[in-house]
Amino acid sequence: MARFFSAEELSGARVFDSEGLFYGLFDGCVVRGGVLFLKVVVEVSAHQPVVDVDRLVEALRERGVRVMPGEPLEVLVARARELGVDVPYRSAESRVRLLKALVPVSEVAVVDSRRLVRGSEEVVEKVVVLRTPREARYRGRKPVLERPGVPPLEEIQGKLVVSLSEGVLGCVEDLVIGPGEPGLRVSRGEGVSGYINWLGFLNSLKKRGLLRVYERLAEYRDPLVTPRLDLSLLPRVRELLEELGVVDKVGDLLEEFVAREPLRGSFVDIPWSRVLKIADIVLAK
């Protein structure tokens, strides 16, 4: 059964087109004319090239194009390409966030979220894959019709693998050999295990003269009785630090007393015949 997500649960999800190209970030929904649209935005860092929207709008209006306020970036660029208008760029003065497009929910092929381990860190991969080659069109490219050949491992190792039928599978770990064809070994390593060195953390607080914080945390869990806390209690410990108003002051110190170990050994092998596209992600059947 398909999974459904609220806009809050999907906030910040990466959006990819049907070619596996990164399209933008999910930034909420709007309803227009009885249709639900996904707001897709792009973020550009300072000094990076960004479309000069004001100059582009001016150039389109000079060609007689009526441009509505707040028109998505994708629409403006598409009209410019149709008319043969050069898309002007400028250097971003600061980090900017632009509305790239409003995508009807009917174009969504996959929406999924999965906890994965990258290195020693646990991350939540939130992904939306579209049925259409929007980013390819945005870049002025034609969709690639041929199935991909097998590339060297170093070109795809670590790439996220998303199945159109199963959602987020994991990350490419290795090339494998099966009957008559190669395949991909996809690491699904979900979750991390570990502990908080509670006794060490609280002793460090005491040495720094943070007696009020020490006493409150000792009330929560006596460090002499429970010198280690399970990693699952880390969010609650951070909540306590926030309540005490010291999370900014001792949050980094807390991390020094956290030991994490990724849970490995979970993987899935998929035959190359399932691989559809290789771009910013690997798309599979």
Side-chain angles (χ1 to χ4, degrees):
M1 182 178 294
R3 296 178 65 190
F4 289 78
F5 299 84
S6 69
E8 182 178 356
E9 290 168 337
L10 273 184
S11 179
R14 293 188 294 163
V15 182
F16 298 89
D17 76 351
S18 59
E19 295 294 290
L21 296 170
F22 176 69
Y23 184 56
L25 299 172
F26 174 81
D27 191 41
C29 302
V30 295
V31 177
R32 294 185 178 177
V35 178
L36 182 71
F37 291 86
L38 283 65
K39 292 172 59 179
V40 179
V41 301
V42 288
E43 291 185 343
V44 182
S45 301
H47 310 304
Q48 294 296 310
V50 60
V51 174
D52 191 326
V53 176
D54 292 337
R55 287 172 56 201
L56 180 55
V57 169
E58 182 180 350
L60 289 173
R61 285 175 174 164
E62 288 177 355
R63 291 291 192 94
V65 178
R66 184 185 178 191
V67 180
M68 302 296 291
E71 198 82 83
L73 184 59
E74 181 188 63
V75 174
L76 299 177
V77 171
R79 289 178 180 171
R81 293 192 192 284
E82 290 172 2
L83 297 172
V85 175
D86 291 334
V87 178
Y89 285 81
R90 63 180 175 83
S91 178
E93 297 177 1
S94 59
R95 191 174 185 84
V96 295
R97 192 178 180 94
L98 299 172
L99 175 63
K100 186 170 185 176
L102 295 176
V103 181
V105 71
S106 59
E107 287 191 30
V108 174
V110 178
V111 55
D112 197 17
S113 175
R114 181 186 289 273
R115 292 184 180 275
L116 300 174
V117 173
R118 286 184 178 271
S120 60
E121 294 296 318
E122 185 182 43
V123 298
V124 178
E125 287 286 1
K126 296 186 285 187
V127 171
V128 175
V129 179
L130 305 178
R131 303 179 190 277
T132 49
R134 279 180 171 256
E135 181 62 23
R137 290 198 299 250
Y138 182 79
R139 299 184 191 183
R141 299 182 185 178
K142 292 183 178 180
V144 178
L145 301 179
E146 299 80 12
R147 297 284 288 276
V150 182
L153 177 61
E154 57 268 22
E155 292 184 11
I156 56 174
Q157 193 168 41
K159 280 185 181 289
L160 188 67
V161 182
V162 181
S163 163
L164 297 181
S165 58
E166 301 175 52
V168 175
L169 295 182
C171 300
V172 176
E173 184 174 293
D174 204 354
L175 291 170
V176 291
I177 301 169
E181 67 174 321
L184 287 177
R185 175 153 295 171
V186 181
S187 172
R188 302 174 69 101
E190 298 176 337
V192 291
S193 63
Y195 62 88
I196 305 169
N197 181 349
W198 194 236
L199 179 61
F201 176 53
L202 266 62
N203 282 341
S204 184
L205 293 174
K206 185 187 290 187
K207 289 178 182 178
R208 285 168 168 73
L210 299 170
L211 298 181
R212 180 178 67 91
V213 179
Y214 170 86
E215 291 171 356
R216 175 66 184 89
L217 295 182
E219 288 177 4
Y220 171 64
R221 289 288 191 280
D222 187 334
L224 298 178
V225 177
T226 314
R228 288 185 176 185
L229 298 184
D230 188 87
L231 191 61
S232 62
L233 295 175
L234 184 59
R236 177 53 185 153
V237 173
R238 288 193 170 279
E239 287 179 5
L240 290 172
L241 295 179
E242 289 179 359
E243 292 171 7
L244 292 166
V246 295
V247 68
D248 292 335
K249 188 175 183 179
V250 301
D252 290 341
L253 176 65
L254 170 62
E255 283 296 321
E256 294 178 13
F257 291 90
V258 175
R260 293 183 175 87
E261 181 65 31
L263 297 174
R264 299 193 179 277
S266 174
F267 64 87
V268 60
D269 293 335
I270 61 173
W272 198 259
S273 54
R274 285 189 60 189
V275 176
L276 300 173
K277 304 282 184 178
I278 298 177
D280 297 322
I281 60 172
V282 177
L283 280 180
K285 292 181 182 177

